[in-house]
Amino acid sequence: MVAEIVCVGTELLLGDIVNTNAQHISKELAHIGIDLYYQTVVGDNKERVWNVLDTALKRSDLIIMTGGLGPTKDDLTKEVAASFFGKKLVFHEQTYEHVRKKLESYGINEMTESQKKQALVPEGSLVVTNPAGLAPGIIMAQGDKAIVMLPGPPKEMKAVLAECCHLFINRLSDQVFVSINIKCKGPDELPLREIGEAPVADLLGDILDNENPTVATYAKEDGVLIRVTASGKTREDALTAMQPVVTKIAEILAGKIAWVKEEV
């Protein structure tokens, strides 16, 4: 199962907001055990969103989209996704009632036509109520391809993604990924010639060519970080697979390690 993230929003392209959504989704997919090869940011333009979605569905099985589910004219994610799968938008009573009650809780007793738009969903889709806002999450599947649409505001995205994982995404993977981070001591603790990424990589040698678990080095301001990642049917299986490699790294870098932690 290969996933791809498509974040919709001109404000992302302009740098008005930081794309924390992609970071959160990436981590969630890694925990579930779903491969992620591509991330794309596209502005609020129907033709460009269509083209990005077309490319994504040709190379990936699961597309997770964020943004563009609101009430304004430039919110067009579900319209493009629905048309791509040849579906029309239909009225969803449960979403309408959810939006109405949410607005009433904000002191708004009359819904505008734009706000009613959020109750339109692609026919045949699985609609996921948004506990933190108005626009629902939407899951569409056709053949061996699926699109999951999430609201853009991070608080709402996280809440809806969690439910989408429970209802659908978790079932797409038969493995889990676990990562162990090994932090080397920094420049205040060791000579610079011993702590750079290149010297550490040289010491690790062929370990960096491992496939399961994989081992990668990252240069940080306060020292090199080594990430060991293994996959398995269960968390315990993954930890068992990586233990010999973690032990070997600890032996090679004896005296140079600041701490070892499981990534959460």
Side-chain angles (χ1 to χ4, degrees):
M1 172 60 62
V2 176
E4 184 160 344
I5 299 172
V6 176
C7 296
V8 181
T10 301
E11 67 277 12
L12 295 170
L13 291 175
L14 296 177
D16 291 337
I17 62 174
V18 177
N19 188 7
T20 59
N21 283 348
Q23 180 187 38
H24 180 80
I25 296 169
S26 297
K27 288 187 174 182
E28 290 300 307
L29 292 176
H31 285 308
I32 294 169
I34 293 178
D35 292 321
L36 177 68
Y37 295 160
Y38 303 96
Q39 294 182 15
T40 304
V41 176
V42 60
D44 301 302
N45 177 279
K46 184 175 182 180
E47 181 179 357
R48 288 193 283 274
V49 173
W50 174 281
N51 290 337
V52 165
L53 190 55
D54 180 46
T55 299
L57 284 168
K58 288 176 179 175
R59 65 191 180 189
S60 304
D61 310 301
L62 170 66
I63 313 303
I64 299 183
M65 306 181 73
T66 68
L69 298 180
T72 61
K73 289 184 177 180
D74 62 353
D75 289 314
L76 39 75
T77 296
K78 63 185 175 184
E79 288 85 345
V80 174
S83 63
F84 203 94
F85 275 0
K87 304 293 184 179
K88 62 182 180 180
L89 296 180
V90 296
F91 178 75
H92 191 256
E93 179 69 31
Q94 184 177 344
T95 298
Y96 177 84
E97 287 301 314
H98 173 76
V99 172
R100 182 182 65 79
K101 290 178 181 179
K102 275 285 188 180
L103 290 174
E104 286 180 354
S105 71
Y106 302 151
I108 302 172
N109 296 316
E110 187 171 347
M111 197 183 305
T112 66
E113 290 302 314
S114 292
Q115 289 164 337
K116 292 177 183 177
K117 171 187 173 184
Q118 292 176 106
L120 296 176
V121 302
E123 60 180 344
S125 61
L126 176 61
V127 182
V128 181
T129 300
N130 181 349
L134 301 178
I138 298 170
I139 300 173
M140 299 178 64
Q142 186 166 287
D144 58 354
K145 303 290 184 178
I147 302 173
V148 174
M149 290 168 269
L150 307 172
K155 181 180 178 180
E156 298 181 31
M157 183 280 299
K158 291 178 181 179
V160 176
L161 175 62
E163 186 63 14
C164 288
C165 287
H166 172 69
L167 293 172
F168 180 73
I169 299 175
N170 287 346
R171 305 175 189 178
L172 302 178
S173 175
D174 61 355
Q175 61 181 339
V176 297
F177 283 85
V178 178
S179 292
I180 296 291
N181 289 326
I182 302 171
K183 181 65 170 52
C184 294
K185 292 179 179 179
D188 294 335
E189 302 165 283
L190 290 173
L192 287 175
R193 67 179 181 277
E194 296 185 19
I195 61 171
E197 184 179 9
V200 171
D202 289 341
L203 287 171
L204 296 180
D206 292 343
I207 291 178
L208 296 176
D209 297 327
N210 274 26
E211 293 187 359
N212 189 30
T214 60
V215 180
T217 59
Y218 302 91
K220 303 291 183 179
E221 290 185 0
D222 58 345
V224 177
L225 181 71
I226 303 163
R227 180 172 294 125
V228 184
T229 303
S231 63
K233 293 290 184 181
T234 66
R235 174 178 173 276
E236 289 70 27
D237 288 343
L239 286 170
T240 298
M242 72 165 62
Q243 191 56 54
V245 174
V246 173
T247 300
K248 184 64 175 178
I249 292 173
E251 293 173 354
I252 293 173
L253 299 178
K256 297 181 175 62
I257 295 176
W259 47 257
V260 179
K261 298 178 183 178
E262 181 177 341
E263 186 172 285
V264 295

